[in-house]
Amino acid sequence: FGFDPLREMVRLYGEGMQTPEVVRQALGVEPAEFDERFLRFAREYVADVRVLPRPSRDKMRALKKHLRREKQDADGWILYALGHVARGNSSDALSAVGKASKVRPDDPRIPAIRALVAAQERRTDSAVSHATEALEKGTDVFELRMLLAGAAQRAEDFDSAKEHLSAAIDAFPYQKGPGDPRLTLAKLLL
């Protein structure tokens, strides 16, 4: 919609208008149409992003409750494990991924989770082995590529590090700041 409508929205909010009317006046569309267009834009924007999900605390509580009833929900166990990985809870992550592997032993996300847990526990050889297995099975995500790039750098295998960093950039091109693989890649190239 551009910058001018955004400025108009701020002005209308300043006058005390509620969101539905602000959207109608400033953007010239119904709120439902705006929501639909924004959701479509957001889905297109992240369509090619390949990162592991990080469920919120509320989602984790809901999953815990759900998994008490639905013990055969492999996707639920995997998401629950990923939530624990994101929070640094290795033992809970391994417990959940163990339950997922009983339901769906060949799921390629299982070695990915094991790789991330091994990396958190500083078991590099195991992390690399699991990450490589996950990639071979089809789970090619930013986190695994960064894990493998770091391991390759430490082993002074700079060609592999460059390959993994390039793949990490492709998987999540929006990464900024100190964890940006472009910075590490630039240092290797220099």
Side-chain angles (χ1 to χ4, degrees):
F1 292 94
F3 189 75
D4 289 336
L6 178 61
R7 188 178 317 162
E8 178 65 5
M9 290 177 80
V10 172
R11 187 186 70 73
L12 294 171
Y13 278 122
E15 292 179 3
M17 279 191 185
Q18 296 298 310
T19 299
E21 194 54 37
V22 168
V23 169
R24 285 184 192 100
Q25 283 193 30
L27 305 180
V29 298
E30 287 297 314
E33 180 184 342
F34 174 79
D35 288 346
E36 178 186 315
R37 288 170 66 176
F38 180 78
L39 186 57
R40 189 173 343 121
F41 163 78
R43 284 185 178 142
E44 289 171 7
Y45 189 77
V46 299
D48 296 328
V49 171
R50 295 183 325 272
V51 296
L52 291 170
R54 289 170 180 77
S56 67
R57 280 190 166 75
D58 289 342
K59 179 69 174 179
M60 289 293 286
R61 280 192 288 274
L63 271 169
K64 185 176 183 177
K65 190 174 183 180
H66 166 79
L67 291 168
R68 284 187 194 128
R69 295 184 312 271
E70 302 293 331
K71 296 184 184 336
Q72 300 300 306
D73 182 357
D75 291 325
W77 285 115
I78 287 169
L79 186 57
Y80 194 61
L82 287 168
H84 284 298
V85 168
R87 288 160 181 77
N89 301 333
S90 296
S91 60
D92 290 337
L94 289 175
S95 175
V97 82
K99 291 173 182 170
S101 69
K102 289 178 184 173
V103 178
R104 196 179 300 148
D106 294 325
D107 192 303
R109 296 169 296 178
I110 291 171
I113 295 166
R114 289 183 173 143
L116 296 172
V117 168
Q120 285 178 348
E121 296 176 345
R122 304 203 190 296
R123 294 182 292 115
T124 304
D125 290 344
S126 182
V128 168
S129 175
H130 287 304
T132 302
E133 178 187 354
L135 285 177
E136 288 169 355
K137 289 183 171 183
T139 299
D140 188 357
V141 293
F142 176 81
E143 295 86 351
L144 294 181
R145 290 298 187 158
M146 291 301 287
L147 183 158
L148 290 168
Q153 278 182 271
R154 287 186 295 281
E156 297 186 3
D157 180 356
F158 300 118
D159 289 335
S160 289
K162 291 174 197 173
E163 174 188 332
H164 291 301
L165 289 165
S166 293
I169 293 165
D170 290 341
F172 188 45
Y174 309 114
Q175 177 67 37
K176 303 287 187 237
D180 188 338
R182 287 175 284 265
L183 296 175
T184 306
L185 183 57
K187 288 176 187 173
L188 285 178
L189 292 172
L190 291 174

